[in-house]
Amino acid sequence: MTQIDRRTVLRQAGVAAGLAAVGTVAAGAVPAAGTPLSSGVSAPAHPTPHEALTLLKEGNDRFVAGEMTHPNQDPARRKEVAAGQEPFAVVFSCIDSRVPPEIVFDRGLGDLFVIRTGAQDYDCLIEGSVEYGPVLDHTPLLVVMGHQRCGAVTAAVNALESGTTPAPNLDAVVQSLSLAYAVAKKTGADDLVEATVRAQIRLTARALRRDPALRPNIARGMLTVVGAYYSLETGEVSWQP
Ligand SMILES: [Zn+2]
């Protein structure tokens, strides 16, 4: 079975199992509704997708301006969320050491579910983790965040442009970025890496909006999936609706 075949089969079979697995790990008491956050910038108890997005935008504004408040990073917050968590957003982003979501959004413990893979590429195992918050905890916001000068995208674009075979452990990443690459290539963009990054954000967000596990919450207005692009130079996150 090729790697792609295996991924497809796993994708079809593995999501429910993956959710069940993470559910047993993460089950626990959730802070009571209305519990104020212990420090810094407070979040409403059950934010709407819009309120959750506003919290991320405000946090990124503070980060860009160098005016971080580092909310929810003190021992009181650690104690508060030890009993249970109710993050207000899922951020699915890249492993890049320069793009840590809690820092670029100026948030703290218990605020975000974070999933990070090279070029925010996902397969069924990752899919289960992405779905966990919205499906089991009704997390209202799912952000797919790519970034400027992504190394994984650069490696994939170089391999696809030159027709060279990447190292075996990179092959899956290259294969899964090939659609974004093809979309970017069609645009005739000068900077193919940049265009592939942006296409990958759009395609991943679109795929997640169609995800059978997420669609019901999206249809009820309980969940919004948005694309985001992080600039390494300015620290700014720009949003794709
Ligand atoms: Zn990256």
Side-chain angles (χ1 to χ4, degrees):
M1 187 179 277
T2 67
Q3 192 153 19
I4 296 298
D5 289 340
R6 185 169 168 274
R7 282 157 60 89
T8 305
V9 170
L10 285 172
R11 186 182 296 266
Q12 288 162 351
V15 173
L19 277 175
V22 291
T24 57
V25 171
V30 169
T35 303
L37 301 181
S38 60
S39 61
V41 183
S42 62
H46 299 292
T48 63
H50 176 73
E51 288 168 337
L53 183 57
T54 300
L55 286 170
L56 292 187
K57 287 179 173 175
E58 289 172 351
N60 183 242
D61 286 346
R62 293 193 298 275
F63 174 70
V64 170
E67 294 170 356
M68 292 85 83
T69 58
H70 309 291
N72 299 331
Q73 297 183 18
D74 57 4
R77 175 64 168 178
R78 186 179 67 224
K79 201 169 172 187
E80 180 186 340
V81 295
Q85 57 172 337
E86 196 172 6
F88 65 82
V90 180
V91 179
F92 178 29
S93 66
C94 183
I95 60 172
D96 194 296
S97 66
R98 300 163 295 182
V99 194
E102 284 90 347
I103 293 179
V104 307
F105 292 118
D106 193 26
R107 297 306 316 186
L109 298 174
D111 288 339
L112 308 173
F113 284 116
V114 174
I115 302 114
R116 299 176 68 177
T117 66
Q120 67 283 348
D121 168 45
Y122 79 105
D123 61 14
C124 73
L125 285 176
I126 301 301
E127 199 171 317
S129 297
V130 170
E131 289 168 348
Y132 171 75
V135 171
L136 296 183
D137 267 2
H138 301 297
T139 314
L141 180 66
L142 169 51
V143 177
V144 178
M145 187 162 77
H147 68 95
Q148 186 182 27
R149 292 199 284 275
C150 180
V153 171
T154 304
V157 167
N158 288 344
L160 291 162
E161 279 284 282
S162 64
T164 53
T165 308
N169 57 344
L170 268 183
D171 187 53
V173 175
V174 172
Q175 291 304 323
S176 74
L177 285 168
S178 58
L179 180 57
Y181 163 80
V183 168
K185 186 92 175 165
K186 260 192 207 161
T187 66
D190 289 338
D191 189 337
L192 202 47
V193 170
E194 191 68 9
T196 303
V197 167
R198 291 180 184 274
Q200 173 71 354
I201 296 166
R202 277 197 307 277
L203 290 169
T204 305
R206 189 190 303 166
L208 287 169
R209 287 185 192 110
R210 292 173 180 166
D211 184 296
L214 301 180
R215 246 182 359 209
N217 282 3
I218 294 171
R220 287 198 285 267
M222 295 165 59
L223 172 67
T224 295
V225 179
V226 293
Y229 173 89
Y230 177 78
S231 164
L232 292 180
E233 279 160 16
T234 67
E236 192 174 352
V237 174
S238 51
W239 303 89
Q240 296 178 354

